[in-house]
Each structure stands twice: as C-alpha cells, then as structure tokens.
Amino acid sequence: MHYLLIAATILGMHSFHYRDGRLYCEEVDLAKAAEAFGTPLYIYSAGTILDHYQRLDQALAGLDHLICYAVKANSNRAILHLLAEAGAGFDIVSGGELYRVIRAGGDASKCTFAGVGKSREEIEYALEQQVYSFNIESEAELDYINQIAVAKNLRAAIALRVNPDVVAPTHKYIATGQSENKFGVPLDRVATVYERAAKMPNIIIRGIQMHIGSQITEAAPFVAAIETITPLVGKLKSRYPLEFFSIGGGLGIAYESSIASGRADWWAANRSHPLTISDYANAIVPQLEKMGLRILLEPGRLLVGNAGVLLTRVRYIKETGQKKFAIVDAGMNDLIRPALYGSYHEIVPVKESHASTSKIDIVGPVCESGDFFAQERDMPPLQAGDLLAIMSAGAYGFAMASTYNSRPLPAEALVRGDKVALVRERQVLEDLTRGEVDPKWQQRRP
Ligand code: LLP
C-alpha cells in the first residue's frame, strides 16, 4: 500500500485506498469508473466529505455554531446538496454561487455573502433571497448596499470583514489577513464604520467576520487573529446587537505524506504538517467561548480537498536527451493549482505498483511549459494507457477549470459506498461554441 494512502486511511483523511492492487474510492474500483465515464474525470467521495463535516461539527459541539461551506472550493450541485442535507450553511462570493446553493436545496438564510466587488445585480439578488449576512469589505460597499436596500425597501443584514493584520504562513496569492491585502476593513477603522452602519436606515448589524488566508497548517495565526479582534468584539457587542463572529475558513490539509522530497518552495516546506481538526478546535474553542457569540466557520478545502481525485490516463511517454515525460490527458485547464501556485499533488498509479521508481515529469497536452502536474517525480514505470490518480484535487480543482486550448470541461462523479454516479457530464465540442454568435454589425446612421 502506498505510504500516503496508509497515513490517510489511519487518520481517516480520505477514503481512497488500494484493494487487491487496485485503487478504490470507498467501495468503487476507480479503473472501472474511468472506463464508464472516460478521463479526465474528477471523482469525489461523499463519505469523506460528510466525515469531515461531522468531525468539525462535533469538535465545535460546545459552541453555538454554523459551518458555512465555502462554495468556491467545489460548487458541484451534488456536493452542495450533500452538505445542505447535513445542515450546513454556505459562504458565497457571487450571485452565481447563491444560485447554485438555492438550486441544490440550500437555505439562503444560512448564507454569508463575501467578496470585495459585489455588483448591483448580485446585491439585489442576495437582498431578495434574504441572505443571513453580507460580509462587507469596504465603506464604499456598505454605502452601496444601503442605497440598493433603500431603493428596494428591504433591509440588509451585515457583518464587517475585519483585516486583523496577522501573518498567515501560506502562499502569497492566498494570504488575505495582512494590511497589504485588498480584503477587509483595517482594524483602526472598524469602530467608525460600525457607527456609520448603525445610522443607515436599511442596514441591520448582525456580525463581525475575518478570514486570514487559505491552506494554513498551524493554529497559531488563527489564535493570534482572534486575540487581536476580541477586545474590539467586546466593545462592539456592548453597542450593537451582534449575533455572530465568523472566523472564516483557511484550515489546511495534507497534500502529501511526511516523506520530504527536497523541494524548496512554500508548498514543499509546509505540506507535511496538517493541522488536525481537533488541534484547531482545541486551540480556538476556549477563546471563542469567551466571546459569547454564535460562531461561524467558512471551511472549503478542509471539507472537500482530500475527498476528490482527478483521474487521468497516460497518452504518450516521451524521452528527450535529458528528461522523461508522461503526457497525460488532463491539463492545466482541468487542474491549474500546480501551474498557478506551484502546489504539490501526490500522484499514484491506479494499478498498484511495487516496482522501483525513477524520475519523470507528468505533463498535460496544453501548449505551455507551465502545464505540468509534477516535475522530476519518483514514479514506478509508466506506459501509455496507464491510469493515474492526482490526489487531493477535490478543492479548487474543477472549480478553477477552464476550456483553455478549447478543451471541453471534464466530467465529475460522486461515490457513495459501492455506488458511483455522474454529477456533471463531460462537455462535448458543441458546448465550446455555445453562446458565440456571428457579429450583427449595427448600421451606421448617415
Ligand atoms: N472564506 C473566505 C472569505 C475566503 O476567501 C475563502 C477562500 C474561504 C472562506 C475558504 O478557504 P479554505 O477553507 O478553502 O481555505 N484557489 C486557491 C485557494 C483560494 C482560497 C480563496 N478564499 C488554492 O487552490 O489553493
């Protein structure tokens, strides 16, 4: 059994494991799923998602809390439905995400609406649906939401997103809690902005929120941020009817086993220290209890990251003088994380191999040298036709996929026990040009 899979099975991080030399997701043979639905194919384990949700829920049992799943991590309707049924709320960042939640049977009154650039249409839609809270990122946005609420004769419940100015050790593209980032209201402005909000006729002050970044693998930055914010929360509570504090999302996951491979970048340095749910809860619950508010969390990656893999088939093996490449049928358009963040994903053969390994680059068909999933990776011998599983691809995988190079979007499937079902059809060529129209030039007036 592969070392990561052993670790993952013991820690209960996900339900992917070898059985009789074949990779399974729960009770489903992945080679068979690939045959039935084709590749590239995202496969998610419903059991893993629910297990993560329930563990987090239980770890917070002592607090009045609501887990608002961050839809951006994976917005497939089947997954939203699963979590809605389990009782989750949702953290959304667009009108599109709100639409998806509602289509999946989720409850708008359990939705928090984040994001620095909400449009008029999105604000109107969220007002009509009466979302639980607009998480406000700037004074300009607060004014705009109030204006729209006045015009529609509706009231907007809000929370200010506070930027606590703490350093979260993560990739710089996804660190959000420092003053140099575009997110949130600076700590020293918060009291004044609440004062203004309190005077706005169509604004209801409901909470306070923060989110310091993503893929954070230590508890300390969360604790530091809560400590920074707590005195302010106390003051605000005495003045306004605050109902909740949202700690945001950001809990990191293990992308790899603890065996280091000598890479020097951020993901390499941090990948082996997953923060467990109980470490996280033990560190923050005592402080949160003292706040005396309802606690919201916005986890994305934690719930779905290790619950999904991307299955891809080797098309060609290519050897140049210096290098060996396995060219697979998935590309950076299907999973952009390695290209965009230099992030590490474990890759395992679907047919278990104990053969000795050698170094190879695993690359896609897209016409860029950035189109790789792994470079100089130790892999057992590979040949055309072999199936590979790119692990930990459940979060920010399909959700960030595009049709770059005019490659139809891949299919997605969900496993539950011994059953597997398609939850998104593979795009076909006609999908690529849908919506494109021949130009109908307007006649110029003489
Ligand atoms: N809440 C807010 C306000 C957020 O901006 C985010 C993520 C979350 C919650 C959920 O964070 P999580 O629990 O998943 O860490 N595409 C990147 C990650 C971008 C995260 C953006 N914000 C990646 O692939 O690593």
Side-chain angles (χ1 to χ4, degrees):
M1 202 189 246
H2 194 274
Y3 53 80
L4 174 69
L5 300 175
I6 296 172
T9 311
I10 294 168
L11 296 173
M13 291 187 302
H14 62 63
S15 313
F16 295 90
H17 52 269
Y18 285 114
R19 185 189 296 168
D20 302 329
R22 302 165 75 91
L23 189 62
Y24 275 69
C25 172
E26 301 189 25
E27 306 298 312
V28 169
D29 180 337
L30 289 183
K32 287 193 182 150
E35 246 148 60
F37 303 128
T39 53
L41 174 71
Y42 277 97
I43 295 236
Y44 311 118
S45 154
T48 307
I49 297 170
L50 290 175
D51 176 57
H52 289 169
Y53 176 81
Q54 276 144 13
R55 278 165 194 256
L56 186 60
D57 202 35
Q58 277 154 21
L60 302 164
L63 294 170
D64 173 14
H65 70 275
L66 177 66
I67 299 173
C68 293
Y69 167 62
V71 174
K72 63 172 84 66
N74 187 325
S75 54
N76 186 287
R77 243 169 69 193
I79 288 178
L80 300 183
H81 180 71
L82 204 65
L83 287 165
E85 294 252 285
F90 296 92
D91 181 58
I92 55 169
V93 290
S94 67
E97 287 191 351
L98 178 54
Y99 172 77
R100 281 179 175 283
V101 167
I102 292 168
R103 283 292 306 272
D107 192 345
S109 68
K110 285 185 178 175
C111 281
T112 51
F113 188 5
V116 294
K118 301 176 187 79
S119 72
R120 169 176 280 276
E121 293 74 21
E122 289 175 325
I123 294 167
E124 286 180 346
Y125 181 35
L127 275 171
E128 285 154 17
Q129 296 297 326
Q130 289 290 292
V131 294
Y132 181 58
S133 173
F134 285 86
N135 292 345
I136 303 285
E137 300 261 6
S138 65
E139 297 186 53
E141 183 197 337
L142 175 65
D143 289 332
Y144 196 45
I145 291 178
N146 182 50
Q147 233 180 65
I148 298 172
V150 169
K152 289 184 79 70
N153 200 21
L154 289 169
R155 300 184 83 196
I158 63 113
L160 282 202
R161 174 170 179 174
V162 179
N163 186 326
D165 198 17
V166 297
V167 179
T170 188
H171 190 282
K172 69 174 180 179
Y173 287 3
I174 55 175
T176 52
Q178 282 181 267
S179 52
E180 69 196 47
N181 303 127
K182 69 180 174 185
F183 299 99
V185 176
L187 211 51
D188 57 2
R189 287 289 305 160
V190 171
T192 318
V193 181
Y194 272 105
E195 238 172 80
R196 287 196 52 214
K199 292 186 191 130
M200 294 182 177
N202 291 51
I203 295 290
I204 302 168
I205 293 176
R206 180 156 283 164
I208 179 161
Q209 191 260 359
M210 68 174 201
H211 170 77
I212 57 174
S214 191
Q215 184 56 18
I216 298 170
T217 49
E218 302 162 23
F222 293 106
V223 174
I226 299 172
E227 269 168 9
T228 307
I229 265 181
T230 300
L232 176 70
V233 172
K235 274 189 214 141
L236 295 171
K237 246 180 89 179
S238 65
R239 281 179 217 160
Y240 313 109
L242 279 196
E243 202 172 290
F244 76 86
F245 167 68
S246 174
I247 185 173
L251 213 74
I253 60 167
Y255 277 93
E256 207 209 24
S257 75
S258 55
I259 299 170
S261 67
R263 284 157 40 106
D265 61 346
W266 183 87
W267 295 98
N270 288 273
R271 66 194 173 208
S272 55
H273 308 293
L275 179 62
T276 64
I277 289 174
S278 53
D279 292 343
Y280 172 72
N282 290 342
I284 62 168
V285 166
Q287 284 176 300
L288 294 175
E289 263 169 353
K290 282 185 234 149
M291 264 187 197
L293 291 173
R294 182 181 202 201
I295 301 300
L296 265 57
L297 294 97
E298 304 160 12
R301 191 187 319 259
L302 174 76
L303 300 186
V304 294
N306 280 324
V309 302
L310 174 59
L311 289 183
T312 182
R313 211 176 271 284
V314 177
R315 278 195 185 146
Y316 305 105
I317 299 292
K318 173 170 176 174
E319 282 185 66
T320 64
Q322 295 151 358
K323 300 258 304 181
K324 193 166 179 184
F325 298 95
I327 301 165
V328 298
D329 63 4
M332 65 189 287
N333 68 298
D334 302 304
L335 175 67
I336 202 174
R337 303 192 69 258
L340 188 57
Y341 313 112
S343 59
Y344 181 94
H345 285 262
E346 174 114 61
I347 302 178
V348 299
V350 166
K351 192 163 162 239
E352 191 175 18
S353 170
H354 298 291
S356 56
T357 61
S358 60
K359 298 215 182 293
I360 191 163
D361 283 20
I362 297 172
V363 302
V366 170
C367 300
E368 293 198 24
S369 295
D371 179 28
F372 60 82
F373 296 113
Q375 291 177 308
E376 295 291 308
R377 183 71 61 87
D378 286 311
M379 292 293 291
L382 295 177
Q383 51 187 355
D386 284 355
L387 266 179
L388 299 175
I390 305 178
M391 307 300 290
S392 310
Y396 308 108
F398 186 93
M400 296 178 80
S402 75
T403 57
Y404 184 43
N405 274 209
S406 287
R407 290 167 45 81
L409 289 172
E412 294 175 284
L414 185 64
V415 167
R416 218 170 176 165
D418 59 358
K419 298 195 174 56
V420 57
L422 203 64
V423 291
R424 172 188 284 267
E425 289 172 1
R426 181 176 306 286
Q427 276 195 337
V428 293
L429 294 182
E430 291 72 29
D431 292 320
L432 294 174
T433 48
R434 179 158 303 128
E436 287 179 23
V437 289
D438 292 329
K440 295 193 179 59
W441 306 113
Q442 303 227 325
Q443 289 292 337
R444 257 211 225 162
R445 283 169 203 271

